Coordinates of all heavy atoms in Angstrom, one line a residue:
M1217 N 6.3 7.7 0.2 CA 7.5 7.2 0.1 C 8.3 8.5 -0.6 O 7.9 9.0 -1.6 CB 7.6 6.0 -0.7 CG 9.0 5.6 -1.2 SD 8.8 4.1 -2.2 CE 10.5 3.9 -2.7
K1218 N 9.4 8.9 -0.1 CA 10.2 9.9 -0.7 C 11.7 9.3 -1.0 O 12.0 8.4 -0.4 CB 10.5 11.1 0.4 CG 9.2 11.7 0.7 CD 8.7 12.6 -0.4 CE 7.5 13.2 0.1 NZ 6.9 14.1 -1.0
V1219 N 12.1 9.8 -2.2 CA 13.5 9.4 -2.6 C 14.5 10.4 -2.1 O 14.2 11.6 -2.1 CB 13.6 9.2 -4.1 CG1 12.7 8.1 -4.4 CG2 13.3 10.4 -4.8
N1220 N 15.6 9.9 -1.8 CA 16.8 10.7 -1.4 C 17.8 10.8 -2.4 O 17.6 10.3 -3.6 CB 17.3 10.4 0.1 CG 17.8 9.0 0.1 OD1 18.3 8.5 -1.1 ND2 17.8 8.2 1.1
K1221 N 18.9 11.6 -2.2 CA 20.0 11.7 -3.2 C 20.5 10.4 -3.5 O 20.8 10.3 -4.7 CB 21.0 12.7 -2.6 CG 22.1 12.9 -3.6 CD 23.1 13.9 -2.9 CE 24.3 14.1 -3.9 NZ 25.2 14.9 -3.3
D1222 N 20.7 9.5 -2.6 CA 21.3 8.4 -3.0 C 20.5 7.3 -3.9 O 21.0 6.7 -4.8 CB 21.7 7.5 -1.7 CG 22.7 8.0 -0.8 OD1 23.6 8.9 -1.4 OD2 22.8 8.0 0.4
D1223 N 19.1 7.5 -3.6 CA 18.1 6.8 -4.5 C 18.2 7.3 -5.8 O 18.1 6.5 -6.8 CB 16.8 6.8 -3.9 CG 16.4 6.3 -2.5 OD1 17.2 5.3 -2.3 OD2 15.7 6.7 -1.8
V1224 N 18.3 8.6 -6.1 CA 18.3 9.2 -7.3 C 19.6 8.7 -8.1 O 19.6 8.4 -9.2 CB 18.3 10.8 -7.3 CG1 18.6 11.3 -8.6 CG2 17.0 11.2 -6.7
I1225 N 20.7 8.7 -7.4 CA 22.0 8.3 -8.0 C 21.8 6.8 -8.5 O 22.3 6.4 -9.6 CB 23.2 8.5 -7.1 CG1 23.4 10.0 -6.8 CG2 24.5 7.8 -7.6 CD1 24.4 10.4 -5.8
K1226 N 21.2 6.1 -7.6 CA 21.1 4.7 -8.0 C 20.2 4.4 -9.1 O 20.5 3.6 -10.0 CB 20.6 3.8 -6.6 CG 20.4 2.3 -6.9 CD 20.0 1.5 -5.7 CE 19.9 0.1 -6.0 NZ 19.6 -0.7 -4.7
I1227 N 19.1 5.0 -9.2 CA 18.2 5.0 -10.2 C 18.7 5.5 -11.6 O 18.6 4.8 -12.6 CB 16.9 5.8 -9.9 CG1 16.1 5.2 -8.9 CG2 16.0 5.9 -11.3 CD1 15.0 6.0 -8.2
A1228 N 19.4 6.5 -11.5 CA 20.3 7.1 -12.6 C 21.2 6.0 -13.2 O 21.3 5.8 -14.3 CB 21.0 8.3 -12.3
H1229 N 22.0 5.4 -12.3 CA 23.0 4.2 -12.7 C 22.2 3.2 -13.3 O 22.6 2.7 -14.3 CB 23.6 3.8 -11.5 CG 24.5 2.6 -11.7 ND1 25.7 2.7 -12.4 CD2 24.4 1.3 -11.4 CE1 26.2 1.5 -12.5 NE2 25.5 0.6 -12.0
L1230 N 21.0 2.6 -12.7 CA 20.3 1.6 -13.3 C 19.7 2.0 -14.7 O 19.6 1.2 -15.6 CB 19.3 1.2 -12.4 CG 19.7 0.6 -11.1 CD1 18.3 0.4 -10.2 CD2 20.2 -0.9 -11.3
A1231 N 19.4 3.2 -14.9 CA 18.9 3.6 -16.2 C 20.0 4.0 -17.2 O 19.7 4.6 -18.2 CB 17.9 4.9 -16.0
R1232 N 21.3 4.0 -16.6 CA 22.4 4.3 -17.5 C 22.3 5.8 -17.9 O 22.6 6.2 -19.0 CB 22.5 3.4 -18.8 CG 22.5 2.0 -18.6 CD 23.8 1.5 -17.7 NE 24.1 0.2 -17.6 CZ 23.7 -0.6 -16.6 NH1 23.2 -0.1 -15.6 NH2 24.0 -2.0 -16.6
L1233 N 22.0 6.7 -16.9 CA 22.0 8.0 -17.2 C 23.1 8.7 -16.3 O 23.5 8.3 -15.3 CB 20.7 8.7 -16.5 CG 19.4 8.3 -17.2 CD1 18.3 8.8 -16.6 CD2 19.5 8.7 -18.7
E1234 N 23.7 9.7 -17.0 CA 24.8 10.5 -16.3 C 24.2 11.8 -15.8 O 23.8 12.6 -16.6 CB 26.0 10.6 -17.2 CG 26.7 9.4 -17.5 CD 28.0 9.7 -18.3 OE1 28.4 10.9 -18.4 OE2 28.5 8.8 -19.0
L1235 N 24.1 11.9 -14.5 CA 23.5 13.2 -14.0 C 24.5 14.1 -13.4 O 25.4 13.6 -12.7 CB 22.5 12.9 -12.8 CG 21.1 12.3 -13.2 CD1 20.3 12.0 -12.0 CD2 20.5 13.1 -14.2
R1236 N 24.5 15.4 -13.8 CA 25.5 16.2 -13.1 C 25.0 16.5 -11.8 O 23.8 16.4 -11.4 CB 25.5 17.5 -14.0 CG 26.0 17.4 -15.3 CD 26.3 18.7 -16.1 NE 25.2 19.5 -16.0 CZ 24.4 19.8 -17.0 NH1 24.5 19.2 -18.2 NH2 23.3 20.6 -16.9
E1237 N 25.9 17.0 -10.9 CA 25.6 17.2 -9.5 C 24.5 18.1 -9.3 O 23.6 18.0 -8.4 CB 26.8 17.6 -8.7 CG 26.7 17.6 -7.2 CD 26.5 16.2 -6.6 OE1 27.1 15.2 -7.2 OE2 25.9 16.2 -5.6
E1238 N 24.5 19.2 -10.2 CA 23.4 20.2 -10.0 C 21.9 19.8 -10.4 O 21.0 20.4 -10.1 CB 23.8 21.5 -10.6 CG 23.9 21.4 -12.1 CD 25.4 21.0 -12.4 OE1 26.3 20.6 -11.7 OE2 25.7 21.2 -13.7
K1239 N 21.9 18.7 -11.1 CA 20.7 18.2 -11.7 C 20.0 17.1 -10.6 O 18.8 16.9 -10.8 CB 20.8 17.6 -13.0 CG 21.2 18.6 -14.1 CD 19.9 19.6 -14.4 CE 20.2 20.5 -15.4 NZ 18.9 21.3 -15.7
I1240 N 20.8 16.6 -9.9 CA 20.4 15.7 -8.9 C 19.2 16.1 -8.2 O 18.1 15.4 -8.0 CB 21.4 15.0 -8.0 CG1 22.5 14.3 -8.8 CG2 20.9 14.2 -6.9 CD1 23.7 13.8 -8.2
Q1241 N 19.2 17.3 -7.6 CA 18.1 17.8 -6.8 C 16.8 17.9 -7.5 O 15.7 17.7 -7.2 CB 18.5 19.2 -6.1 CG 17.5 19.7 -5.1 CD 17.1 18.8 -4.0 OE1 18.1 18.3 -3.4 NE2 15.9 18.7 -3.7
D1242 N 17.0 18.5 -8.8 CA 15.8 18.6 -9.7 C 15.2 17.4 -10.0 O 14.0 17.2 -9.9 CB 16.2 19.3 -11.0 CG 16.7 20.8 -10.8 OD1 16.3 21.4 -9.8 OD2 17.5 21.2 -11.7
M1243 N 15.9 16.3 -10.3 CA 15.5 15.0 -10.5 C 14.8 14.5 -9.2 O 13.8 13.8 -9.3 CB 16.6 14.0 -10.9 CG 16.2 12.7 -11.4 SD 15.0 12.7 -12.8 CE 16.1 13.3 -14.1
Q1244 N 15.3 14.6 -8.1 CA 14.8 14.1 -6.9 C 13.4 14.7 -6.6 O 12.4 14.1 -6.3 CB 15.7 14.4 -5.7 CG 15.2 14.0 -4.3 CD 16.1 14.3 -3.1 OE1 17.2 14.7 -3.4 NE2 15.8 14.2 -1.9
D1245 N 13.3 16.1 -6.9 CA 12.0 16.8 -6.8 C 11.0 16.2 -7.7 O 9.9 16.0 -7.5 CB 12.1 18.3 -6.9 CG 12.9 18.9 -5.9 OD1 13.1 18.4 -4.8 OD2 13.6 20.1 -6.2
S1246 N 11.4 16.0 -8.9 CA 10.5 15.5 -10.0 C 10.0 14.1 -9.7 O 8.8 13.6 -9.8 CB 11.2 15.4 -11.3 OG 11.5 16.7 -11.7
I1247 N 11.0 13.2 -9.2 CA 10.7 11.8 -8.8 C 9.6 12.0 -7.6 O 8.6 11.2 -7.5 CB 11.7 11.0 -8.5 CG1 12.6 10.7 -9.8 CG2 11.4 9.6 -7.8 CD1 13.9 10.0 -9.5
N1248 N 9.8 12.8 -6.7 CA 9.0 12.9 -5.5 C 7.6 13.4 -5.8 O 6.6 13.0 -5.3 CB 9.6 13.8 -4.4 CG 10.6 13.0 -3.6 OD1 10.6 11.7 -3.4 ND2 11.7 13.7 -3.2
K1249 N 7.4 14.2 -6.9 CA 6.2 14.7 -7.3 C 5.5 13.5 -7.9 O 4.2 13.5 -7.7 CB 6.4 15.9 -8.4 CG 6.8 17.2 -7.7 CD 6.9 18.3 -8.8 CE 7.4 19.6 -8.1 NZ 7.6 20.6 -9.2
V1250 N 6.1 12.8 -8.7 CA 5.4 11.5 -9.5 C 4.8 10.6 -8.2 O 3.7 10.2 -8.3 CB 6.2 10.9 -10.3 CG1 5.7 9.6 -10.8 CG2 6.6 11.8 -11.5
L1251 N 5.6 10.4 -7.3 CA 5.3 9.5 -6.1 C 4.2 10.2 -5.3 O 3.2 9.3 -5.0 CB 6.5 9.2 -5.3 CG 7.6 8.4 -5.8 CD1 8.8 8.3 -4.9 CD2 7.1 7.0 -6.2
D1252 N 4.1 11.3 -5.1 CA 3.0 12.1 -4.5 C 1.7 11.8 -5.3 O 0.6 11.5 -4.7 CB 3.3 13.5 -4.2 CG 4.4 13.8 -3.2 OD1 4.6 13.0 -2.4 OD2 5.1 14.8 -3.1
W1253 N 1.8 12.0 -6.5 CA 0.7 11.9 -7.4 C 0.2 10.4 -7.4 O -1.1 10.2 -7.4 CB 1.1 12.3 -8.9 CG 0.0 12.2 -9.9 CD1 -1.2 13.0 -9.9 CD2 -0.2 11.4 -11.0 NE1 -2.0 12.8 -10.9 CE2 -1.3 11.7 -11.5 CE3 0.6 10.3 -11.5 CZ2 -1.8 11.0 -12.8 CZ3 0.1 9.8 -12.7 CH2 -1.0 10.1 -13.3
M1254 N 1.1 9.5 -7.4 CA 0.6 7.9 -7.3 C 0.0 7.7 -6.0 O -0.9 6.9 -5.9 CB 1.9 7.1 -7.5 CG 2.5 7.2 -8.9 SD 1.4 6.8 -10.2 CE 0.9 5.0 -9.7
E1255 N 0.6 8.4 -4.8 CA -0.2 8.2 -3.6 C -1.6 8.8 -3.7 O -2.5 8.1 -3.1 CB 0.7 8.8 -2.4 CG 1.9 8.1 -2.2 CD 2.7 8.9 -1.0 OE1 2.2 9.8 -0.4 OE2 3.8 8.4 -0.8
A1256 N -1.8 9.8 -4.3 CA -3.1 10.5 -4.4 C -4.1 9.6 -5.2 O -5.2 9.4 -4.9 CB -3.0 11.8 -5.1
L1257 N -3.5 9.0 -6.3 CA -4.3 8.0 -7.1 C -4.6 6.8 -6.4 O -5.7 6.2 -6.5 CB -3.4 7.7 -8.4 CG -3.4 8.7 -9.5 CD1 -2.7 8.2 -10.7 CD2 -4.8 9.0 -9.9
N1258 N -3.7 6.2 -5.4 CA -4.0 5.0 -4.7 C -5.0 5.3 -3.7 O -5.8 4.4 -3.1 CB -2.8 4.7 -4.0 CG -1.6 4.0 -5.0 OD1 -2.2 3.4 -5.9 ND2 -0.4 3.9 -4.5
A1259 N -5.3 6.6 -3.2 CA -6.3 6.9 -2.2 C -7.7 6.9 -2.9 O -8.7 6.9 -2.2 CB -6.0 8.3 -1.8
V1260 N -7.8 6.9 -4.2 CA -9.2 6.8 -4.9 C -9.8 5.4 -4.8 O -9.0 4.5 -5.0 CB -9.0 7.3 -6.3 CG1 -10.3 7.2 -7.1 CG2 -8.5 8.7 -6.4
D1261 N -11.1 5.4 -4.4 CA -11.7 4.1 -4.3 C -12.2 3.7 -5.7 O -12.9 4.3 -6.4 CB -13.0 4.3 -3.5 CG -13.7 2.9 -3.3 OD1 -13.1 1.9 -3.5 OD2 -15.0 3.0 -3.1
T1262 N -11.6 2.7 -6.2 CA -11.9 2.0 -7.4 C -12.5 0.7 -7.4 O -12.5 -0.1 -8.4 CB -10.5 1.9 -8.4 OG1 -9.7 1.1 -7.7 CG2 -10.0 3.3 -8.6
S1263 N -13.0 0.3 -6.2 CA -13.6 -1.0 -6.1 C -14.7 -1.2 -7.1 O -15.0 -2.3 -7.4 CB -14.0 -1.2 -4.6 OG -14.9 -0.3 -4.2
S1264 N -15.6 -0.3 -7.3 CA -16.8 -0.5 -8.2 C -16.5 -0.3 -9.6 O -17.4 -0.1 -10.5 CB -17.9 0.5 -7.7 OG -17.5 1.8 -7.8
V1265 N -15.2 0.0 -10.0 CA -15.0 0.3 -11.5 C -14.6 -0.9 -12.1 O -13.6 -1.7 -11.6 CB -13.8 1.2 -11.4 CG1 -13.3 1.5 -12.9 CG2 -14.1 2.6 -10.8
E1266 N -15.1 -1.2 -13.4 CA -14.8 -2.4 -14.0 C -13.5 -2.3 -14.7 O -13.2 -1.2 -15.2 CB -15.9 -2.7 -15.2 CG -17.1 -3.2 -14.6 CD -17.2 -4.8 -14.2 OE1 -16.4 -5.4 -15.0 OE2 -17.9 -5.1 -13.3
P1267 N -12.7 -3.3 -14.8 CA -11.3 -3.3 -15.5 C -11.6 -3.0 -17.0 O -12.5 -3.7 -17.5 CB -10.7 -4.5 -15.2 CG -11.5 -5.2 -14.2 CD -12.8 -4.6 -14.1
L1268 N -10.8 -2.3 -17.7 CA -11.0 -2.0 -19.1 C -9.9 -3.0 -19.9 O -8.8 -3.2 -19.4 CB -10.6 -0.7 -19.5 CG -11.6 0.4 -18.8 CD1 -11.1 1.8 -19.3 CD2 -12.9 0.2 -19.5
V1269 N -10.5 -3.4 -21.0 CA -9.6 -4.1 -22.0 C -9.3 -3.1 -23.1 O -8.1 -3.1 -23.5 CB -10.5 -5.3 -22.6 CG1 -9.5 -5.9 -23.7 CG2 -10.7 -6.3 -21.5
H1270 N -10.2 -2.3 -23.4 CA -9.9 -1.3 -24.6 C -10.5 0.0 -23.8 O -11.4 0.2 -23.1 CB -10.7 -1.5 -25.8 CG -10.2 -2.8 -26.4 ND1 -9.0 -2.9 -27.1 CD2 -10.8 -4.0 -26.4 CE1 -8.9 -4.1 -27.5 NE2 -9.9 -4.8 -27.2
M1271 N -9.9 1.2 -24.3 CA -10.2 2.5 -23.8 C -11.6 3.0 -24.5 O -12.3 3.7 -23.9 CB -9.1 3.6 -24.1 CG -8.0 3.3 -23.3 SD -8.2 3.3 -21.6 CE -8.6 4.9 -21.2
T1272 N -11.9 2.4 -25.6 CA -13.1 2.8 -26.3 C -13.9 1.5 -26.6 O -13.2 0.5 -26.9 CB -12.8 3.6 -27.4 OG1 -12.1 2.7 -28.6 CG2 -12.1 4.8 -27.2
P1273 N -15.2 1.6 -26.9 CA -15.9 0.3 -27.3 C -15.6 0.0 -28.8 O -16.0 -1.1 -29.2 CB -17.4 0.7 -27.1 CG -17.4 2.3 -27.2 CD -16.0 2.8 -26.7
A1274 N -14.9 0.9 -29.5 CA -14.6 0.5 -30.9 C -13.6 -0.7 -31.1 O -12.7 -0.8 -30.2 CB -14.0 1.7 -31.7
L1275 N -13.9 -1.5 -32.0 CA -13.1 -2.6 -32.2 C -12.6 -2.7 -33.7 O -13.1 -2.0 -34.6 CB -13.9 -4.0 -32.1 CG -14.5 -4.3 -30.7 CD1 -15.4 -5.4 -30.7 CD2 -13.3 -4.4 -29.7
N1276 N -11.4 -3.3 -33.9 CA -10.9 -3.4 -35.2 C -11.7 -4.4 -36.1 O -12.2 -5.3 -35.7 CB -9.4 -4.1 -35.3 CG -8.5 -3.0 -34.5 OD1 -8.7 -1.8 -34.6 ND2 -7.4 -3.6 -34.0
H1277 N -11.9 -3.9 -37.3 CA -12.7 -4.7 -38.3 C -11.8 -5.0 -39.3 O -11.4 -4.2 -40.2 CB -14.0 -3.9 -38.8 CG -14.9 -3.6 -37.7 ND1 -15.9 -4.6 -37.2 CD2 -15.2 -2.4 -37.0 CE1 -16.5 -3.9 -36.2 NE2 -16.2 -2.7 -36.0
F1278 N -11.3 -6.3 -39.3 CA -10.4 -6.7 -40.3 C -11.1 -7.3 -41.5 O -12.3 -7.9 -41.5 CB -9.6 -8.0 -39.8 CG -8.7 -7.5 -38.5 CD1 -9.1 -7.9 -37.3 CD2 -7.7 -6.7 -38.8 CE1 -8.4 -7.4 -36.2 CE2 -6.9 -6.2 -37.7 CZ -7.2 -6.8 -36.5
R1279 N -10.5 -7.0 -42.7 CA -11.1 -7.6 -44.0 C -10.6 -9.0 -44.3 O -9.7 -9.4 -43.6 CB -10.7 -6.6 -45.2 CG -9.2 -6.6 -45.4 CD -8.8 -5.8 -46.6 NE -7.4 -5.6 -46.8 CZ -6.6 -6.6 -47.1 NH1 -7.1 -7.7 -47.5 NH2 -5.3 -6.4 -47.4
E1280 N -11.3 -9.5 -45.0 CA -10.9 -11.1 -45.4 C -9.6 -10.9 -46.3 O -9.5 -10.0 -47.1 CB -12.0 -11.6 -46.4 CG -13.2 -12.0 -45.5 CD -12.9 -13.1 -44.5 OE1 -12.2 -14.0 -44.9 OE2 -13.6 -13.1 -43.4
D1281 N -8.7 -11.9 -46.1 CA -7.5 -12.0 -46.8 C -7.8 -12.6 -48.2 O -8.2 -13.7 -48.2 CB -6.4 -12.8 -46.1 CG -5.0 -12.7 -46.7 OD1 -4.9 -11.8 -47.5 OD2 -4.3 -13.6 -46.3
Q1282 N -7.6 -11.8 -49.3 CA -7.9 -12.2 -50.5 C -6.6 -12.2 -51.4 O -5.9 -11.2 -51.4 CB -8.9 -11.4 -51.2 CG -10.2 -11.6 -50.4 CD -11.3 -10.6 -51.0 OE1 -10.9 -9.8 -51.9 NE2 -12.5 -10.7 -50.4
A1283 N -6.4 -13.2 -52.2 CA -5.3 -13.2 -53.2 C -5.4 -12.1 -54.3 O -6.7 -12.0 -54.8 CB -5.1 -14.6 -53.7
K1284 N -4.4 -11.5 -54.6 CA -4.6 -10.5 -55.7 C -3.5 -10.7 -56.7 O -2.4 -11.5 -56.4 CB -4.3 -9.0 -55.1 CG -5.4 -8.6 -54.2 CD -5.3 -7.2 -53.7 CE -6.3 -6.8 -52.8 NZ -6.1 -5.5 -52.3
A1285 N -3.5 -10.2 -57.8 CA -2.5 -10.3 -58.9 C -1.2 -9.7 -58.4 O -1.2 -8.5 -57.9 CB -2.9 -9.7 -60.1
M1286 N -0.1 -10.4 -58.4 CA 1.2 -9.9 -57.9 C 1.8 -9.1 -59.1 O 1.6 -9.5 -60.3 CB 2.1 -10.9 -57.4 CG 1.3 -11.7 -56.2 SD 1.2 -10.7 -54.7 CE 2.9 -10.6 -54.2
L1287 N 2.8 -8.4 -58.7 CA 3.8 -7.9 -59.8 C 4.7 -8.9 -60.3 O 5.4 -9.5 -59.4 CB 4.5 -6.5 -59.3 CG 5.5 -5.8 -60.0 CD1 4.6 -5.2 -61.4 CD2 6.2 -4.7 -59.4
D1288 N 4.9 -9.1 -61.5 CA 5.7 -10.1 -62.1 C 7.2 -9.7 -61.8 O 7.6 -8.6 -61.7 CB 5.7 -10.1 -63.5 CG 6.5 -11.0 -64.3 OD1 6.4 -12.3 -64.0 OD2 7.4 -10.6 -65.0
R1289 N 8.1 -10.6 -61.4 CA 9.4 -10.3 -61.0 C 10.2 -9.6 -62.0 O 10.9 -8.7 -61.7 CB 10.2 -11.6 -60.6 CG 11.7 -11.5 -60.3 CD 12.2 -12.7 -60.2 NE 12.0 -13.2 -58.8 CZ 12.9 -13.8 -57.9 NH1 14.0 -14.2 -58.5 NH2 12.5 -14.2 -56.8
Q1290 N 10.0 -10.0 -63.3 CA 10.8 -9.4 -64.3 C 10.3 -7.9 -64.5 O 11.1 -7.0 -64.7 CB 10.7 -10.1 -65.6 CG 11.7 -9.7 -66.8 CD 13.0 -9.8 -66.2 OE1 13.5 -10.9 -65.6 NE2 13.8 -8.8 -66.4
K1291 N 9.0 -7.6 -64.4 CA 8.4 -6.3 -64.5 C 9.0 -5.4 -63.3 O 9.5 -4.2 -63.6 CB 7.0 -6.2 -64.5 CG 6.3 -6.8 -65.7 CD 4.8 -6.6 -65.6 CE 4.2 -7.1 -67.0 NZ 2.7 -7.1 -66.8
A1292 N 9.1 -6.1 -62.1 CA 9.6 -5.3 -61.0 C 11.2 -5.0 -61.2 O 11.6 -3.8 -60.9 CB 9.4 -6.0 -59.7
L1293 N 11.8 -5.9 -61.7 CA 13.4 -5.8 -61.9 C 13.5 -4.7 -63.0 O 14.6 -4.0 -62.9 CB 14.0 -7.1 -62.3 CG 14.2 -8.1 -61.2 CD1 14.7 -9.4 -61.6 CD2 15.1 -7.5 -60.2
N1294 N 12.7 -4.6 -64.0 CA 12.8 -3.7 -65.0 C 12.7 -2.2 -64.5 O 13.0 -1.3 -65.2 CB 11.9 -3.9 -66.2 CG 12.2 -5.0 -66.9 OD1 13.4 -5.6 -66.9 ND2 11.2 -5.7 -67.7
L1295 N 12.1 -2.1 -63.4 CA 11.9 -0.8 -62.8 C 13.1 -0.3 -62.1 O 13.1 0.9 -61.7 CB 10.6 -0.8 -61.8 CG 9.2 -1.2 -62.5 CD1 8.2 -1.2 -61.3 CD2 8.9 0.1 -63.4
G1296 N 14.0 -1.2 -61.6 CA 15.1 -0.7 -60.9 C 16.2 -0.2 -61.7 O 16.3 -0.7 -62.9
P1297 N 17.1 0.6 -61.2 CA 18.1 1.2 -62.0 C 19.4 0.3 -62.2 O 20.1 0.4 -63.1 CB 18.7 2.4 -61.2 CG 18.2 1.9 -59.7 CD 16.9 1.3 -59.7
N1298 N 19.6 -0.7 -61.3 CA 20.7 -1.6 -61.3 C 20.3 -2.9 -60.9 O 20.0 -3.2 -59.7 CB 21.9 -1.0 -60.5 CG 23.2 -1.7 -60.8 OD1 23.2 -2.6 -61.6 ND2 24.1 -1.4 -60.0
T1299 N 20.1 -3.8 -61.8 CA 19.6 -5.2 -61.4 C 20.5 -6.3 -62.3 O 21.3 -6.0 -63.2 CB 18.3 -5.5 -61.8 OG1 18.1 -5.4 -63.3 CG2 17.4 -4.4 -61.2
N1300 N 20.4 -7.5 -61.7 CA 21.0 -8.6 -62.6 C 19.6 -9.4 -62.9 O 18.6 -9.0 -62.8 CB 22.0 -9.5 -61.7 CG 21.4 -10.1 -60.5 OD1 20.3 -10.2 -60.3 ND2 22.5 -10.7 -59.8
E1301 N 19.9 -10.7 -63.3 CA 18.8 -11.5 -63.7 C 17.7 -11.8 -62.6 O 16.6 -12.1 -62.9 CB 19.2 -12.8 -64.4 CG 19.9 -13.7 -63.4 CD 21.4 -13.5 -63.4 OE1 21.8 -12.6 -64.0 OE2 22.1 -14.0 -62.6
S1302 N 18.1 -11.7 -61.4 CA 17.3 -12.2 -60.3 C 17.0 -11.0 -59.1 O 16.0 -11.1 -58.5 CB 17.6 -13.3 -59.6 OG 17.7 -14.5 -60.5
Y1303 N 17.9 -10.1 -59.0 CA 17.9 -9.2 -57.9 C 18.2 -7.7 -58.2 O 18.8 -7.5 -59.2 CB 19.1 -9.8 -56.9 CG 18.7 -11.1 -56.3 CD1 19.6 -12.1 -56.9 CD2 17.8 -11.4 -55.5 CE1 19.3 -13.4 -56.5 CE2 17.5 -12.7 -55.0 CZ 18.3 -13.7 -55.5 OH 18.2 -15.1 -55.1
F1304 N 17.8 -6.9 -57.3 CA 18.3 -5.5 -57.3 C 19.6 -5.5 -56.8 O 20.0 -6.0 -55.9 CB 17.4 -4.6 -56.5 CG 15.9 -4.5 -57.1 CD1 15.0 -5.2 -56.5 CD2 15.6 -3.8 -58.2 CE1 13.6 -5.1 -56.9 CE2 14.3 -3.7 -58.7 CZ 13.5 -4.3 -58.0
K1305 N 20.5 -4.6 -57.4 CA 22.0 -4.5 -56.9 C 21.9 -3.2 -56.2 O 21.4 -2.2 -56.6 CB 22.9 -4.4 -58.1 CG 23.0 -5.7 -59.0 CD 24.1 -5.6 -60.1 CE 24.2 -6.8 -60.8 NZ 25.2 -6.5 -61.9
V1306 N 22.6 -3.3 -55.0 CA 22.7 -2.1 -54.1 C 24.1 -1.9 -53.7 O 24.9 -2.9 -53.8 CB 21.7 -2.2 -52.9 CG1 20.3 -2.2 -53.3 CG2 22.2 -3.5 -52.0
P1307 N 24.5 -0.7 -53.4 CA 26.0 -0.7 -52.9 C 26.2 -1.4 -51.6 O 25.3 -1.5 -50.7 CB 26.0 0.9 -52.6 CG 24.9 1.5 -53.2 CD 23.8 0.5 -53.4
Q1308 N 27.4 -1.9 -51.4 CA 27.9 -2.6 -50.2 C 27.8 -1.7 -49.0 O 28.3 -0.6 -49.0 CB 29.2 -3.2 -50.6 CG 29.8 -4.1 -49.5 CD 31.1 -4.7 -49.7 OE1 31.6 -4.7 -50.8 NE2 31.6 -5.3 -48.7
V1309 N 27.3 -2.2 -48.0 CA 27.1 -1.4 -46.8 C 28.2 -2.1 -45.8 O 28.4 -1.3 -44.7 CB 25.8 -1.4 -46.2 CG1 24.9 -0.6 -47.1 CG2 25.2 -2.7 -46.1
I1310 N 28.6 -3.3 -45.8 CA 29.4 -3.7 -44.9 C 30.8 -4.2 -45.5 O 30.9 -4.8 -46.6 CB 28.9 -5.1 -44.3 CG1 27.7 -4.9 -43.4 CG2 29.9 -5.7 -43.3 CD1 26.9 -6.0 -42.9
E1311 N 31.9 -3.7 -45.1 CA 33.3 -3.8 -45.5 C 33.8 -5.1 -45.1 O 33.6 -5.7 -44.1 CB 34.1 -2.8 -45.2 CG 33.8 -1.5 -45.8 CD 34.7 -0.3 -45.6 OE1 35.9 -0.6 -45.3 OE2 34.3 0.7 -45.7

């Protein structure tokens, strides 16, 4: 399957890309190279290959969730430069 100039323009429009006229041919060549590579991969016999769930046999080993002593609210507020009795004060970001 080969893409033509009109296909490239349509793909660029769908991807919300603005391509200059002189770049359309380069993009067409790049897309066609990818499609040629995919055709080569499709020609490989993978009928005896098991599907993979993970690329390596290593698995995540999660630790048990344990409660720990938390930082007291007042101690945390004392660390801030500008606070009131309950919150950190920050500059307004929305007018």
Side-chain angles (χ1 to χ4, degrees):
M1217 174 182 177
K1218 297 289 182 186
V1219 296
N1220 57 31
K1221 181 179 176 179
D1222 293 334
D1223 293 333
V1224 172
I1225 292 170
K1226 183 176 181 181
I1227 292 168
H1229 173 73
L1230 292 172
R1232 303 298 190 256
L1233 298 174
E1234 292 183 22
L1235 289 179
R1236 294 188 310 257
E1237 190 66 33
E1238 61 269 12
K1239 291 291 184 182
I1240 291 176
Q1241 183 61 45
D1242 293 339
M1243 187 60 69
Q1244 181 179 348
D1245 294 340
S1246 294
I1247 293 172
N1248 283 327
K1249 284 180 186 177
V1250 170
L1251 291 175
D1252 290 341
W1253 185 65
M1254 292 304 297
E1255 286 177 14
L1257 287 177
N1258 285 335
V1260 175
D1261 179 25
T1262 59
S1263 60
S1264 62
V1265 177
E1266 285 283 323
L1268 292 177
V1269 175
H1270 298 286
M1271 294 302 294
T1272 64
L1275 297 175
N1276 290 333
H1277 296 284
F1278 297 106
R1279 64 174 172 77
E1280 289 293 321
D1281 191 17
Q1282 299 172 353
K1284 295 182 181 179
M1286 302 289 290
L1287 182 62
D1288 179 64
R1289 174 182 284 210
Q1290 194 55 48
K1291 286 182 182 178
L1293 288 172
N1294 289 339
L1295 296 173
N1298 191 5
T1299 63
N1300 67 8
E1301 62 277 349
S1302 301
Y1303 302 101
F1304 293 103
K1305 292 181 181 179
V1306 296
Q1308 182 176 351
V1309 294
I1310 300 175
E1311 293 182 21

